[in-house]
């Protein structure tokens, strides 16, 4: 929908366009600037993503792959896009893992004499259960080298406690998360190789609180599968202090999680056909599944509603894209990436040509720009549009990771693009019970919607 602009606003936009390099000062540039302004105005005045997110999180909640909630989310996504009046809405069948947490986990540290200390813990995604109450002493390590240096009798029959914090000196928190994540992913394997009966892992967060963070872990079929649980950061600090005072204390852990047979699920896809180049596709997406502790609001409900909103914004502002724009709600990013793999597989089988794929999976915080996974020439091409985004605070276009869901498209799409937003608060709530709707700021979410829609508009108009 088009709507009138004030003369002051129009003058400001034209002035902004005039600050571009001489080669960029053209009628097209001014037209693009005005179109992008309309996309932002539509998002900020009549945006629908926030209310869509309210429904997804409040009515359905956490959506772990294979769950009833995930099944409901698929139908919800399909209904929302059908109501948008897109050219096509459809489902892509995909088999996904089905892991259940079961009853709430329990943990307690007990000295030989005296009162025990209870801990907030949660099973890591994919972990086996404890088959009742697991009781063992604890050995604390911070690095793989520390574990390797321990004699076998110091590890055998014990719980290995991996207590390496995320590095707080990195400005980019995702860097710290990636660096510390190896202990969560393979801690149970390395502990079991040494004869340990389980693994305890410090939550991947820079915050100091009592929320344990879940997340996927892995097993090796050649190594005994042992239970793996996350401690909150406060709990990890407390256990470390208790061990220093009493290295022989006993830790009791009780988890009833289990792995069930795979379940049929779906990616949800909606698209607007391109007016000039319908066979060139620009995909934009987020993952529909989430962990089960919270509502999956920032991870990744925001990415899903933003991706759908990109299509609505284009329609509402009268933009008929020249290339086909496709919103994809991927299933099973959290513990398998089956949806991303299946989407790329089907695209390749169908001989589809993906011009670009964009992903939003860093929360719905204040937009900063985009990370680009592609050739230097592709990065340079996208950076030519930076002046159009600077007015809105989202002009950082740098080399970086595109995203897990779109990763399988790397050899098919010309470029992969990750939507970047302020990450400083993301890992405070990531994979926790605190990832709820009330943590999402409406204005920040809508600014992100418009940023994504603006880049999709430019890609559709000019290609690569």
């Amino acid at each position: 929908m088009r709507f009138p602009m004030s003369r002051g606003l129009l003058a400001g936009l034209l002035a902004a366009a005039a600050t571009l390099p001489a080669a960029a000062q053209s009628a097209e540039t001014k037209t693009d600037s005005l179109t992008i302004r309309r996309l932002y105005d539509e998002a900020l005045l009549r945006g629908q993503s926030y209310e869509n997110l309210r429904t997804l999180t409040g009515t359905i909640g956490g959506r772990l792959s294979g769950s009833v909630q995930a099944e409901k989310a698929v139908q919800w996504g399909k209904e929302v896009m059908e109501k948008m009046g897109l050219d096509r809405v459809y489902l892509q069948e995909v088999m996904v893992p089905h892991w259940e947490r079961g009853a709430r986990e329990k943990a307690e540290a007990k000295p030989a004499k005296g009162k025990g200390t209870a801990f907030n813990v949660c099973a890591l995604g994919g972990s086996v259960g404890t088959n009742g109450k697991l009781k063992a002493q604890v050995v604390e390590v911070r690095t793989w080298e520390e574990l390797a240096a321990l004699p076998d009798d110091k590890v055998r029959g014990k719980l290995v406690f991996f207590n390496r914090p995320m590095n707080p000196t990195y400005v980019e928190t995702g860097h710290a998360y990636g660096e510390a994540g190896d202990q969560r992913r393979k801690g149970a394997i390395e502990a079991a190789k040494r004869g340990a009966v389980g693994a305890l892992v410090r939550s991947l967060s820079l915050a100091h609180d009592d929320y344990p963070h879940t997340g996927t872990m892995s097993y090796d079929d050649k190594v005994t599968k042992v239970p793996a649980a996350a401690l909150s950061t406060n709990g990890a600090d407390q256990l470390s202090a208790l061990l220093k005072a009493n290295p022989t204390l006993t830790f009791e852990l009780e988890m009833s999680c289990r792995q069930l047979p795979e379940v049929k699920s779906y990616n949800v896809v909606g698209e607007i056909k391109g007016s000039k180049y319908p066979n060139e596709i620009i995909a934009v997406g987020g993952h529909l599944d989430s962990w089960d502790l919270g509502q999956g609001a920032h991870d990744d409900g925001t990415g899903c509603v933003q991706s759908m909103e990109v299509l609505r914004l284009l329609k509402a502002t009268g933009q008929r894209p020249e290339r086909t724009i496709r919103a994809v709600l991927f299933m099973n990013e959290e513990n398998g990436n089956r949806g991303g793999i299946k989407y790329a597989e089907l695209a390749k089988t169908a001989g589809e040509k993906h011009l670009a794929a964009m992903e939003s999976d860093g929360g719905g915080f204040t937009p900063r720009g985009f990370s680009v996974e592609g050739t230097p020439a592709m990065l340079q091409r996208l950076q030519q549009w930076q002046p159009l985004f600077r007015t809105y605070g989202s002009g950082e276009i740098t080399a970086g990771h595109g995203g897990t869901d779109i990763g399988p498209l790397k050899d098919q799409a010309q470029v992969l693009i990750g939507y970047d937003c302020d990450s400083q608060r993301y890992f405070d709530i990531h994979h926790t019970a605190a990832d709820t709707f009330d943590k999402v700021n409406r204005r920040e979410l809508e600014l992100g919607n418009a940023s994504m829609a603006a880049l999709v508009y430019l890609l559709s108009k000019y290609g690569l």
Side-chain angles (χ1 to χ4, degrees), residues 174-458:
H175 187 182
Y177 174 79
E179 184 178 83
D182 58 348
Q183 59 193 338
R184 187 192 75 196
R185 293 188 298 271
K186 64 177 185 177
I189 297 173
E190 298 304 318
K193 285 180 180 178
R194 300 297 306 280
V197 296
L200 302 173
V201 181
R202 182 187 185 91
S203 284
L204 299 181
S205 175
L206 290 164
H208 291 271
D209 57 32
D210 295 315
Y211 288 107
H213 294 230
T214 191
T216 193
M217 50 84 68
S218 59
Y219 286 120
D220 184 332
D221 290 337
K222 298 178 182 178
V223 180
T224 302
K225 295 180 180 180
V226 299
L231 290 164
S232 69
T233 51
N234 281 348
D237 291 342
Q238 186 177 22
L239 180 57
S240 181
L242 289 174
L243 287 170
K244 286 179 174 63
N246 182 6
T248 62
L249 64 78
T250 298
F251 196 88
E252 296 184 356
L253 179 65
E254 190 170 1
M255 305 194 307
S256 58
C257 45
R258 58 178 182 164
Q259 191 75 45
L260 298 170
E262 292 187 351
V263 173
K264 183 192 298 183
S265 190
Y266 304 89
N267 294 329
V268 188
V269 186
E271 65 182 32
I272 301 173
K273 282 289 185 185
S275 60
K276 291 186 178 180
Y277 312 101
N279 294 326
E280 293 186 16
I281 299 166
I282 300 167
V284 56
H287 64 87
L288 192 53
D289 63 305
S290 75
W291 286 108
D292 54 323
L293 296 177
Q295 297 177 333
H298 277 291
D299 188 22
D300 183 29
T302 54
C304 290
V305 298
Q306 285 179 322
S307 299
M308 295 189 294
E309 185 74 351
V310 166
L311 272 62
R312 193 198 70 80
L313 291 174
L314 293 173
K315 284 177 62 66
T317 56
Q319 306 306 311
R320 182 69 189 186
E322 297 187 10
R323 273 94 179 163
T324 293
I325 313 301
R326 184 179 287 174
V328 187
L329 312 185
F330 295 96
M331 180 56 69
N332 185 233
E333 186 270 350
E334 293 292 5
N335 59 340
N337 198 28
R338 299 284 186 86
I341 293 169
K342 175 58 72 171
Y343 179 86
E345 175 188 305
L346 293 175
K348 186 174 183 179
T349 299
E352 292 181 341
K353 178 182 179 181
H354 277 74
L355 182 73
M358 181 190 301
E359 180 171 330
S360 172
D361 188 17
F365 301 103
T366 303
R368 292 288 180 259
F370 304 91
S371 57
V372 179
E373 189 173 347
T375 65
M378 289 296 174
L379 174 60
Q380 186 176 26
R381 169 64 170 158
L382 295 178
Q383 287 177 331
Q384 292 179 357
W385 294 325
Q386 282 180 307
L388 291 167
F389 290 89
R390 286 182 182 138
T391 299
Y392 309 100
S394 55
E396 297 177 9
I397 300 178
T398 60
H401 179 56
T404 299
D405 286 304
I406 61 176
L409 284 169
K410 186 173 183 178
D411 295 331
Q412 300 178 53
Q414 291 188 44
V415 66
L416 304 181
I417 303 168
Y419 164 66
D420 271 352
C421 55
D422 189 331
S423 68
Q424 301 309 316
R425 292 169 286 160
Y426 184 55
F427 293 105
D428 293 359
I429 61 175
H430 184 248
H431 293 179
T432 74
D435 186 7
T436 50
F437 176 73
D438 60 295
K439 307 301 190 305
V440 179
N441 178 276
R442 181 170 196 152
R443 185 169 179 81
E444 291 179 337
L445 180 69
E446 290 168 344
L447 286 168
N449 304 338
S451 297
M452 294 167 63
L455 185 54
V456 168
Y457 156 75
L458 293 168

Side-chain angles (χ1 to χ4, degrees), residues 55-56 59-80 90-94 96-100 261-268 287-291 329-332:
T55 301
L56 175 63
T59 303
I60 299 173
R63 309 166 295 280
L64 190 58
S65 292
S67 68
V68 172
Q69 291 80 7
E71 183 179 349
K72 290 180 179 179
V74 167
Q75 294 306 314
W76 167 86
K78 184 172 181 288
E79 290 172 6
V80 170
Y90 57 99
L91 303 179
Q92 294 180 330
E93 182 179 314
V94 56
V96 299
H98 185 193
W99 177 82
E100 287 186 347
E262 292 187 351
V263 173
K264 183 192 298 183
S265 190
Y266 304 89
N267 294 329
V268 188
H287 64 87
L288 192 53
D289 63 305
S290 75
W291 286 108
L329 312 185
F330 295 96
M331 180 56 69
N332 185 233

